[in-house]
Amino acid sequence: MTATITETTTTTEPALADLKVTATGTEWLRKLAAVGVAISSRPALPILSFMVIDCNRGKATLLGYDYSTTASARLNHEPVNALRNAKALVPFQWLVRTIRVLTARKRDVPVTVESKDLLGQRLTTVTAAGYTIPCLHSLAFSDYPTIPEHGVLDVFNVDREELACALDRATVAASIDDTLPILTALQLRCTGKKLTIHATDRYRLSAETLTLSSRTVQEFEFLLRAATWKAMAKHLVDEKITVGVLAAADIADRMGGCETLNIGSGDVAFTLSPTSGDYPKLDSIFSAEYGMTVDVNRRDVLDQVMVAKEVNERNIPALVKMAPGSISVSPSFHEGADQAATPVLLADTVNIDGSATVAFNPHYLLDGIKATKADVVRFGFHTLTKPLCLTPAPEKGKKASTYRYLLMPVRLPNDILGGE
């Protein structure tokens, strides 16, 4: 869903029509929360702390914009005969705070937002529960940035749970270090009927491939900020997510590649600009098969990793100990290691000859096992000095998962090696 606010070319801005919209407090707050994804609490320009209420043909839409993301939410409001085509520029945080306070006792009470000209300024009022709260500002619509128009290259639907779960699993491997913006993004690459999602922070990698539909989809590659996905995901609540592959209007007919994605569900949609840069080539790092594997109950090994994470000293790795038919994950200690004990878990192993110990960052290992949604998780190795690949173990009668989480082992300190 996209919208455009057109700047006036005259020296005197024409007066905007009066606007009046009534909806429940619950509806206002839910749609404002979605629009808030595109409104920073500390915007670079003061006008970006404002949002737009756009009434067109009797339907009201809330809009937020921060130059990289456009958030749009259709408001389910009461029909009003006097509702005309009109736009209002409203301070976002003020509107949210006012509605939240006035409806604190009962969220479903009607809330009316009105906007009109008053002596050359714009007066906005919020009326609810017997209160009317005014806000006066002098900002002009011509000062608000123009939301870009886009041409549509392709549109397709994806099951919400399937796409959202895949993107959520990918975010655990994305970097949170803003000094390397490219690694804070998830790579979405579509070829034919397949959508592949990659993420990495240099120490771990994740990959998953989704089958989109029965038809071929416009090829594209897009870098989606992981933080933006986390912010918008909870507002995409319908069974289907609609993805629009967009391009700037002047290259709408160009085939291959895209500039923008529109991701929407129900009454809410987000138009996203990509993170710029060349993403690392990750496909060649993953292998289809691993010669050494250990299949173990996910819940049991997850418990052991959580214990190792909590009791380990800071920056000390967890020890993954393997033997034919068994595995355990234990904390590592500089002193007293001979007095420590961890339960041994039964496992199905392939090509694990004798006992071996590999060390991993317990936080990263925990993230990978949590993201591997299955009853049984598979640890795959080429050799024990190479990265570990975590995948859901294949289950008879079920479609094999394409999720893979690659984690680099860490070197054990000498004193811990001696304690072994």
Side-chain angles (χ1 to χ4, degrees), residues 50-295:
F50 281 66
M51 59 164 284
V52 175
I53 302 177
D54 184 1
C55 293
N56 186 25
R57 298 182 180 179
K59 300 295 183 181
T61 301
L62 311 183
L63 294 166
Y65 181 56
D66 66 358
Y67 285 108
S68 64
T69 302
T70 305
S72 172
R74 292 191 299 268
L75 192 70
N76 295 316
H77 55 83
E78 296 180 3
V80 180
N81 293 332
L83 187 63
R84 294 176 290 175
N85 291 352
K87 295 176 182 179
L89 200 60
V90 181
F92 177 78
Q93 295 296 343
W94 170 82
L95 184 60
V96 172
R97 184 174 63 253
T98 302
I99 294 176
R100 185 176 291 137
V101 169
L102 297 187
T103 63
R105 187 170 181 179
K106 188 177 180 182
R107 290 291 188 216
D108 285 338
V109 299
V111 176
T112 300
V113 176
E114 294 186 69
S115 180
K116 60 185 178 181
D117 281 327
L118 180 66
L119 301 177
Q121 294 183 305
R122 197 70 178 176
L123 174 67
T124 302
T125 59
V126 175
T127 302
Y131 292 89
T132 297
I133 308 298
C135 178
L136 194 65
H137 69 82
S138 57
L139 291 177
F141 239 102
S142 58
D143 297 328
Y144 196 78
T146 300
I147 299 176
E149 293 183 340
H150 298 91
V152 179
L153 298 176
D154 204 349
V155 178
F156 57 92
N157 292 322
V158 189
D159 180 79
R160 189 203 68 83
E161 184 175 359
E162 184 179 13
L163 179 61
C165 289
L167 291 171
D168 287 345
R169 285 190 288 269
T171 58
V172 303
S175 175
I176 58 174
D177 182 3
D178 288 332
T179 61
L180 289 171
I182 193 74
L183 299 185
T184 66
L186 314 176
Q187 183 195 48
L188 280 63
R189 190 174 71 243
C190 181
T191 304
K193 301 177 183 179
K194 303 293 183 181
L195 176 65
T196 300
I197 303 169
H198 282 142
T200 182
D201 61 2
R202 294 180 298 171
Y203 307 106
R204 51 194 172 157
L205 301 83
S206 74
E208 187 164 4
T209 299
L210 305 180
T211 300
L212 291 178
S213 62
S214 58
R215 69 177 182 87
T216 300
V217 174
Q218 166 71 39
E219 291 189 9
F220 69 87
E221 183 174 321
F222 188 85
L223 298 181
L224 169 63
R225 296 172 183 85
T228 300
W229 166 251
K230 288 182 180 180
M232 60 189 269
K234 58 188 174 184
H235 304 294
L236 304 171
V237 296
D238 276 18
E239 292 183 0
K240 295 290 183 180
I241 288 179
T242 300
V243 179
V245 185
L246 310 179
D250 59 346
I251 57 171
D253 295 329
R254 186 187 70 182
M255 298 303 292
C258 75
E259 181 180 274
T260 306
L261 280 190
N262 181 273
I263 299 178
S265 178
D267 293 333
V268 175
F270 302 92
T271 302
L272 310 169
S273 298
T275 299
S276 58
D278 294 325
Y279 203 76
K281 306 299 182 185
L282 303 181
D283 285 329
S284 61
I285 300 176
F286 292 94
S287 299
E289 300 289 340
Y290 289 85
M292 305 168 65
T293 62
V294 179
D295 292 357

